[in-house]
Amino acid sequence: MGLGYIGLPTAITFAEYGYQVHGTDTNPAVIEALNQKSTLHIEEPGLEEKVKTVIESGSFTFSRAPEKSDAFIIAVPTPITDDNRANLDYVESATEMILPFLEKGNVVILESTVPPLTIEKVMKPIVESRGFKAGEDIYLAHSPERVMPGKLFQELIENDRIIGGFNDISGRKAGELYASFVKGNIHYTDAATAEMVKLMENTYRDVNIALANELARISERIGADVWEAIRLANYHPRVNLHQPGPGVGGHCIAVDPWFLVEAAPEEAQLIKMSRYINNDTPFQVVNRVKEMMDDFGGKKLTVLGLAYKGETGDARESPSLVIVNELIRAGYDVSTYDPYVQEGYSHQAASLEEAAADSDMLVILTNHKQFSKIDFSTIGEQMEQKMILDAKNMFTAKQIRQHGFHYYQIGVKQSRLLGDKVK
């Protein structure tokens, strides 16, 4: 149930390992993309070839409606509302859709990342509304996905798997399914604990990144180099500071911590503050850009990178989009380029060269490997003025200044990089 970033690769993997799989998605565009096979709605290395193989073998079918099955896996979105609360409409709808097809002995697994007690308070009542007894007639479990875009198929198989059963037998039934292809360890627990695990993993990263972003602001204020300081601090055997950046993106880290805040708002103070820091970071980057553009009288900007992380085409919750929109709102002429995100966003150029033409400043927001190979001598000749704001620490001041650029980093005071006077 749900053929998006997680549902489709999961369905394909089960089909590859001997199961007859039926995929369901209520979006007609998704079904049409699968019919076309070569115009898939998501990007992932190897996905297109795998989809063709399992469709042609007959092991994978798909439609907008579910079918009778031995097991149902729900992998639908769980977005947040404007007031940062979990929207479980998709989970509820998917559970209700399978009700006419449920039979005693079926396994129902929720893979979507959800607030604690979703199995108990949302899915169990729906299933039992048809007269089934959860844990006896229908085996409910939560098994959160823990994979990274770009390595989905590898990590689906190699990563450890968490199985949180409504009761012991529900967990064992669900674990038997995943054991058919998971090479990592399978860890069993209760459903509420499993729901917490994924939230804790992403919240740990969010809090760590918030600390790094706060340290970057402090470093700018006092004249330290946050990148060098973090590198040296991480030589300590019990320290693992993350890297600062333009903000936090992706459907997981930027969203999941709010589920814990919603579940226990009085207790989740550190988590809440970390979310505020990371949500504010794109606006800090915008302010830095404005200061530099004002210093040089610049008018046109080139933003490199719309994806929330390097080497992916995933722009969900990307801080780059916030930064682009704010710069446009501030009156700048903004051109963007991302080799992986090529459709669906305005102001996009077809190439880096086109994006940089007559620009005053390059703003690097995503660490795609392609950007590390930029020929700054050639690009500089096309630009009106030659400024760079590097929000991902891809270069050094020495590398860039030799090509005649003014180079800036977040987390480093301007005077430390250039010897310029700081306003």
Side-chain angles (χ1 to χ4, degrees):
M1 303 296 293
L3 296 174
Y5 280 89
I6 299 302
L8 182 58
T10 300
I12 298 310
T13 302
F14 273 109
E16 287 183 320
Y17 279 80
Y19 286 92
Q20 179 63 41
V21 181
H22 182 74
T24 300
D25 201 293
T26 57
N27 185 347
V30 170
I31 303 303
E32 179 58 28
L34 288 171
N35 278 321
Q36 297 296 325
K37 299 178 188 175
S38 60
T39 56
L40 296 181
H41 52 295
I42 59 176
E43 292 186 10
E44 179 67 25
L47 176 62
E48 187 175 309
E49 294 78 10
K50 288 175 177 289
V51 166
K52 287 181 180 178
T53 299
V54 294
I55 290 176
E56 291 171 359
S57 71
S59 59
F60 176 57
T61 59
F62 47 88
S63 71
R64 295 177 63 185
E67 296 180 353
K68 283 191 176 184
S69 300
D70 300 304
F72 296 84
I73 296 177
I74 296 174
V76 295
T78 50
I80 55 173
T81 62
D82 291 339
D83 59 352
N84 296 320
R85 300 178 67 84
N87 179 350
L88 297 177
D89 289 350
Y90 295 106
V91 173
E92 294 178 5
S93 177
T95 308
E96 290 168 352
M97 283 179 68
I98 66 174
L99 284 181
F101 304 94
L102 282 182
E103 297 176 342
K104 285 187 177 183
N106 285 171
V107 178
V108 179
I109 302 169
L110 177 64
E111 285 203 4
S112 306
T113 306
V114 292
L117 301 178
T118 296
I119 292 286
E120 175 71 31
K121 294 184 176 181
V122 177
M123 294 185 66
K124 175 178 175 283
I126 294 175
V127 168
E128 293 191 339
S129 70
R130 281 295 179 99
F132 295 112
K133 185 69 174 176
E136 296 179 13
D137 302 322
I138 303 296
Y139 304 109
L140 295 177
H142 178 56
S143 183
E145 55 81 12
R146 308 163 82 200
V147 294
M148 182 174 67
K151 296 183 177 180
L152 281 174
F153 291 106
Q154 174 186 339
E155 296 200 346
L156 277 172
I157 294 169
E158 296 179 359
N159 287 2
D160 284 10
R161 195 89 200 188
I162 306 295
I163 307 289
F166 175 78
N167 56 5
D168 287 344
I169 189 172
S170 296
R172 290 198 302 271
K173 293 280 189 180
E176 289 172 4
L177 284 173
Y178 292 105
S180 63
F181 65 81
V182 171
K183 294 180 179 178
N185 295 317
I186 296 180
H187 306 276
Y188 293 92
T189 185
D190 60 273
T193 301
E195 290 165 338
M196 278 289 289
V197 168
K198 177 65 181 296
L199 302 180
M200 290 169 63
E201 291 169 350
N202 286 328
T203 298
Y204 163 78
R205 296 173 66 194
D206 193 48
V207 171
N208 201 323
I209 293 169
L211 174 60
N213 284 331
E214 194 164 88
L215 291 172
R217 298 179 196 180
I218 294 170
S219 296
E220 289 181 14
R221 175 65 63 89
I222 69 174
D225 182 335
V226 74
W227 305 96
E228 179 73 356
I230 287 175
R231 184 181 70 83
L232 294 172
N234 281 345
Y235 282 120
H236 191 290
R238 291 175 294 281
V239 173
N240 181 29
L241 288 163
H242 286 16
Q243 302 291 305
V248 171
H251 182 64
C252 294
I253 301 179
V255 174
D256 294 354
W258 287 120
F259 295 172
L260 292 176
V261 175
E262 179 183 348
E266 294 303 316
E267 290 77 12
Q269 297 300 313
L270 176 62
I271 297 170
K272 187 188 303 180
M273 183 55 67
S274 297
R275 279 281 75 231
Y276 289 149
I277 291 170
N278 287 334
N279 279 348
D280 183 59
T281 297
F283 299 95
Q284 297 288 328
V285 173
V286 169
N287 290 337
R288 191 81 184 271
V289 170
K290 287 180 179 178
E291 291 173 0
M292 291 181 286
M293 291 290 278
D294 289 347
D295 284 345
F296 287 84
K299 297 183 183 301
K300 182 177 179 181
L301 291 158
T302 300
V303 170
L304 299 182
L306 295 178
Y308 80 90
K309 66 180 296 182
E311 302 307 296
T312 75
D314 193 347
R316 291 178 297 174
E317 310 296 332
S318 175
S320 298
L321 303 181
V322 176
I323 292 168
V324 167
N325 290 334
E326 286 299 311
L327 291 172
I328 293 171
R329 190 174 292 114
Y332 295 107
D333 179 7
V334 179
S335 180
T336 69
Y337 175 68
D338 190 304
Y340 297 95
V341 182
Q342 298 176 345
E343 294 181 0
Y345 300 97
S346 59
H347 304 276
Q348 286 182 284
S351 67
L352 191 153
E353 291 74 18
E354 179 185 321
D358 302 321
S359 181
D360 296 299
M361 185 178 195
L362 303 179
V363 183
I364 302 174
L365 300 180
T366 309
N367 56 341
H368 292 314
K369 290 179 182 178
Q370 180 177 322
F371 296 158
S372 68
K373 301 174 183 178
I374 294 174
D375 182 346
F376 287 103
S377 296
T378 302
I379 290 295
E381 293 175 358
Q382 302 175 28
M383 296 178 64
E384 188 70 24
Q385 299 189 71
K386 297 164 71 173
M387 293 184 285
I388 292 178
L389 173 63
D390 182 359
K392 298 299 291 185
N393 193 36
M394 294 193 70
F395 305 99
T396 66
K398 183 177 180 181
Q399 281 178 292
I400 303 304
R401 290 175 67 186
Q402 67 180 339
H403 298 291
F405 278 81
H406 298 281
Y407 180 69
Y408 307 82
Q409 286 175 294
I410 62 170
V412 182
K413 197 169 184 177
Q414 179 178 330
S415 58
R416 188 180 181 97
L417 288 169
L418 298 172
D420 293 343
K421 293 181 179 179
V422 180
K423 290 187 176 181

